[in-house]
Amino acid sequence: MKRVVAALIVNEDRILACQRTRHQVMPLKWEFPGGKIEEGEQPRDALRRELEEELGIEATIGNEVVRIHHEYPGGGSVELRFFEVHEYQGEIENRIFREIRWVRRNELLELDFLEADRSLVKDLAAGKVL
């Protein structure tokens, strides 16, 4: 099982969403920034590293919000751990994505998110999470 961490970066009433490039697996899908936990790495350390690599920020990782286990059709399972991030140092810069966008909760449903993220996106849009 692939172990992944992701950040729910909150700025007032908006959440940062990121779109994959055409060359990535599951191209042009939207997701929350983060990535794979490396061998021997703690989840919060992995997320801190990923946010620096992807967005150029030094984030203060908050509480774990939700943990999702997802099986993709045709094989491949993933454990996703989402953490809230309310504080970070530096300016967010797009280093790897096709697009990054600050999105209001109700606008999240308009984006084509990864299948594994969809239940969380619905809960965020409904105000059940965060």
Side-chain angles (χ1 to χ4, degrees):
M1 177 182 297
K2 189 173 168 183
R3 296 174 58 228
V4 174
V5 286
L8 300 174
I9 303 176
V10 180
N11 184 349
E12 295 177 18
D13 64 338
R14 297 173 191 250
I15 299 170
L16 189 70
C18 304
Q19 187 181 36
R20 292 178 173 216
T21 68
R22 294 183 189 283
H23 309 291
Q24 288 177 287
V25 176
M26 294 179 258
L28 305 180
K29 294 285 187 181
W30 287 84
E31 64 183 348
F32 299 103
K36 189 175 163 216
I37 301 172
E38 302 294 341
E39 188 66 38
E41 197 172 32
Q42 293 299 311
R44 280 182 170 79
D45 295 334
L47 186 53
R48 209 172 283 112
R49 174 184 52 76
E50 288 285 350
L51 294 177
E52 199 286 319
E53 290 172 5
E54 294 178 355
L55 301 172
I57 60 172
E58 291 180 33
T60 302
I61 310 302
N63 293 326
E64 182 173 332
V65 175
V66 68
R67 193 177 300 194
I68 297 171
H69 295 272
H70 184 78
E71 296 280 336
Y72 277 98
S77 63
V78 63
E79 177 192 68
L80 294 151
R81 297 173 72 166
F82 293 89
F83 293 85
E84 57 188 342
V85 173
H86 295 278
E87 297 177 18
Y88 56 86
Q89 301 287 319
E91 291 292 321
I92 290 179
E93 56 183 280
N94 182 359
R95 293 184 171 178
I96 67 159
F97 298 103
R98 180 174 187 262
E99 182 181 349
I100 61 174
R101 190 185 298 175
W102 288 104
V103 183
R104 283 186 166 73
R105 288 175 185 269
N106 61 334
E107 296 170 334
L108 288 168
L109 297 173
E110 298 169 14
L111 302 178
D112 185 16
F113 269 86
L114 292 169
E115 188 178 313
D117 292 356
R118 289 184 188 153
S119 63
L120 173 60
V121 168
K122 287 178 186 172
D123 286 347
L124 285 165
K128 294 179 183 175
V129 177
L130 289 183

